[in-house]
Amino acid sequence: MKFQTLKDKQRLIRGEFCEGLALRVHRSLSWLDKSEHCDDKDSQFIFLWIAFNAAYAQDTEVLRHTESEAFSKFINKLINLDTNNQIYTLLWREFSSSIRVLLDNQFVFQPFWDFHNGKIPEQEWQTRFTKAKAAANYALATKSTAILTAIILQRLYTLRNQLIHGGATWQSSANRNQIRDGVALLSKFIPIIINIMMDHPKELWGDANYPVVTI
């Protein structure tokens, strides 16, 4: 599902949207459109992440904390409303192998960097990595879509931080695999999110951050 298909749908049904949902969808679509016109993966990843944040429209710092109630509710709501099992199909049929590689990659695991920045001891990040992999493998084995989705987005959030905060070089060979896989996944996941939200305009999606203000 590409930008133009979603944009055509939005134009047809946006009259049903409340102000908050209308703004979220409009903004998210604009960044999805931009991502599709990029010719490099780093830029694509950044614009796709902005598209995700525009749809989610909450502080994505919570992605570092699996116990975050707000984020868990958002993911669970999407999956419960996903009557066509689009997210399930995406994760289990299209990306199961690349997801396993991503989850085994310590370079997108924030505690690994916390250790290298002197914030935690080596044993702590290794223990947490082992436990995180066990949780991810359990989610994979039991096909727990909500749990797996949250874990994947936590990893991609670390990758997002590396790019946004200048912790990586443009088109660096050091992170090509995770960038490539992140773009492949987000380019299909973001349209699904937008589509589900548009299909359920009566749900409480919340007000958009930074509303349009006329002075």
Side-chain angles (χ1 to χ4, degrees):
M1 196 180 308
K2 296 292 186 179
F3 161 77
Q4 195 58 57
T5 300
L6 291 168
K7 187 63 180 179
D8 291 343
K9 178 175 180 175
Q10 180 238 14
R11 288 191 177 112
L12 287 174
I13 64 175
R14 60 189 173 189
E16 304 173 25
F17 299 170
C18 65
E19 183 179 354
L21 176 61
L23 194 53
R24 286 174 185 245
V25 169
H26 174 70
R27 288 171 171 172
S28 189
L29 282 172
S30 73
W31 292 107
L32 177 65
D33 183 31
K34 178 62 178 177
S35 75
E36 291 180 3
H37 289 86
C38 290
D39 58 5
D40 72 277
K41 297 298 183 185
D42 293 299
S43 298
Q44 273 188 287
F45 184 91
I46 291 169
F47 291 131
L48 284 166
W49 192 271
I50 298 173
F52 166 68
N53 207 33
Y56 177 53
Q58 298 185 49
D59 183 5
T60 48
E61 183 66 24
V62 301
L63 294 179
R64 289 190 60 180
H65 308 287
T66 56
E67 71 275 15
S68 169
E69 183 178 357
F71 183 65
S72 295
K73 284 184 176 180
F74 179 75
I75 293 299
N76 285 326
K77 177 184 286 190
L78 286 174
I79 290 170
N80 289 334
L81 295 173
D82 183 16
T83 54
N84 294 322
N85 293 321
Q86 301 168 84
I87 298 174
Y88 175 90
T89 300
L90 181 70
L91 298 185
W92 305 114
R93 295 184 185 177
E94 293 193 47
F95 287 99
S96 59
S97 59
S98 58
I99 284 170
R100 291 180 187 276
V101 173
L102 182 70
L103 296 175
D104 281 336
N105 188 335
Q106 71 268 30
F107 297 112
V108 289
F109 186 63
Q110 185 58 42
F112 172 79
W113 297 109
D114 290 342
F115 157 64
H116 281 281
N117 290 327
K119 296 179 179 179
I120 60 174
E122 182 175 12
Q123 184 60 46
E124 182 175 342
W125 94 258
Q126 291 176 340
T127 299
R128 290 168 67 177
F129 190 52
T130 299
K131 289 181 178 179
K133 284 173 56 177
N137 286 330
Y138 179 78
L140 283 164
T142 58
K143 295 191 174 180
S144 302
T145 306
I147 295 173
L148 184 61
T149 301
I151 293 173
I152 292 167
L153 289 173
Q154 287 164 16
R155 297 293 202 277
L156 294 181
Y157 181 69
T158 298
L159 185 56
R160 169 263 186 204
N161 284 347
Q162 291 174 7
L163 292 175
I164 295 297
H165 297 298
T169 305
W170 179 64
Q171 293 191 327
S172 169
S173 60
N175 62 6
R176 280 309 85 192
N177 291 340
Q178 47 264 48
I179 290 288
R180 180 201 63 217
D181 292 343
V183 167
L185 179 61
L186 289 177
S187 65
K188 293 194 174 184
F189 182 58
I190 303 305
I192 289 174
I193 291 177
I194 298 171
N195 195 45
I196 291 173
M197 294 175 75
M198 288 198 295
D199 281 344
H200 298 87
K202 303 304 180 185
E203 288 290 326
L204 295 176
W205 298 106
D207 295 331
N209 285 344
Y210 302 101
V212 177
V213 176
T214 303
I215 298 178

